[in-house]
Amino acid sequence: MKIQITLFTLLFCSSLWGQEFATGYTPMPKGEYEELKIAFCASMTDRKLPASYVIPEHYFPTPGSQGNIGSCVGWSTGYALASFYFAAKNKWGKPVTNNLIMSPTFVYNHIRQCNCGPNCGSYIGDALNLLRDKGFVTWQTMPYNNEQACNKPSENMYPIAAKNNISGWNRLINKLNFNEYKEHLSNDV
């Protein structure tokens, strides 16, 4: 009886949660990851991993909500990663104002794989290519809300986005090797 109640509760709660929030991450098609450029790094025998390493959280924005739009890749790469990267690179401290937080809407509307909505996802690689090739705009330039999350960016945003880009990105040699993650993170790669 306990198992049935627990199972029912999990199913019921997950169905409610699915109605309120969307995801949007679309895994890369099979074989594409292996074709990406690999980051240069010394072999694991050449470097020692530190006993511990903490990514400075004071450069991350406060977590937000994507609501019922499938824009999680825009949130993870634009809002979280790019906001962190530019705050750390420029020594801004925690990005708390809209002119320092990158727009998940700008990212999502460039790379989404369908019209828009809760089941309309995107690829992380496409978001990173956008950050490299065109850059991102801030939340102040293109705010996020569920009613306007599907609006396309205007042409006047591209010169602004070009100021917030990266020179490139690479994949890990073996995405299942956690020591490789640790090596790159602890060496600010």
Side-chain angles (χ1 to χ4, degrees):
M1 182 67 172
K2 253 186 181 176
I3 294 174
Q4 290 175 335
I5 292 172
T6 304
L7 183 58
F8 174 76
T9 304
L10 286 173
L11 291 173
F12 180 73
C13 290
S14 65
S15 69
L16 288 177
W17 183 39
Q19 292 172 5
E20 185 178 346
F21 299 103
T23 57
Y25 165 70
T26 303
M28 282 184 156
K30 190 170 178 74
E32 277 191 30
Y33 180 80
E34 291 70 23
E35 294 176 16
L36 296 173
K37 182 179 170 186
I38 297 173
F40 171 79
C41 64
S43 71
M44 290 301 291
T45 57
D46 295 343
R47 287 177 152 158
K48 290 198 180 236
L49 291 174
S52 65
Y53 181 79
V54 177
I55 298 171
E57 69 179 69
H58 60 274
Y59 290 122
F60 281 101
T62 302
S65 172
Q66 71 188 51
N68 62 359
I69 302 295
S71 58
C72 69
V73 171
W75 279 87
S76 63
T77 58
Y79 184 84
L81 175 69
S83 296
F84 164 80
Y85 174 78
F86 293 116
K89 177 183 170 191
N90 297 311
K91 308 266 189 259
W92 292 336
K94 187 173 188 69
V96 293
T97 59
N98 289 344
N99 64 327
L100 299 178
I101 297 171
M102 297 297 130
S103 170
T105 309
F106 184 82
V107 179
Y108 177 66
N109 284 300
H110 271 86
I111 64 170
R112 58 187 155 97
Q113 299 295 309
C114 50
N115 288 333
C116 195
N119 298 317
C120 184
S122 52
Y123 300 111
I124 290 175
D126 290 348
L128 294 171
N129 287 339
L130 176 67
L131 180 56
R132 179 194 61 211
D133 298 341
K134 294 184 179 181
F136 291 174
V137 299
T138 64
W139 188 290
Q140 183 175 7
T141 304
M142 191 167 189
Y144 187 94
N145 66 53
N146 279 338
E147 289 77 40
Q148 298 176 341
C150 297
N151 293 350
K152 290 285 187 186
S154 64
E155 289 298 317
N156 66 344
M157 291 183 188
Y158 295 107
I160 299 167
K163 297 174 186 174
N164 300 312
N165 68 349
I166 58 172
S167 60
W169 64 277
N170 303 298
R171 74 168 176 95
L172 298 174
I173 295 169
N174 178 354
K175 62 185 173 184
L176 299 178
N177 179 350
F178 291 106
N179 281 337
E180 191 175 353
Y181 285 91
K182 292 175 186 178
E183 178 185 11
H184 287 283
L185 291 172
S186 67
N187 288 291
D188 294 323
V189 174

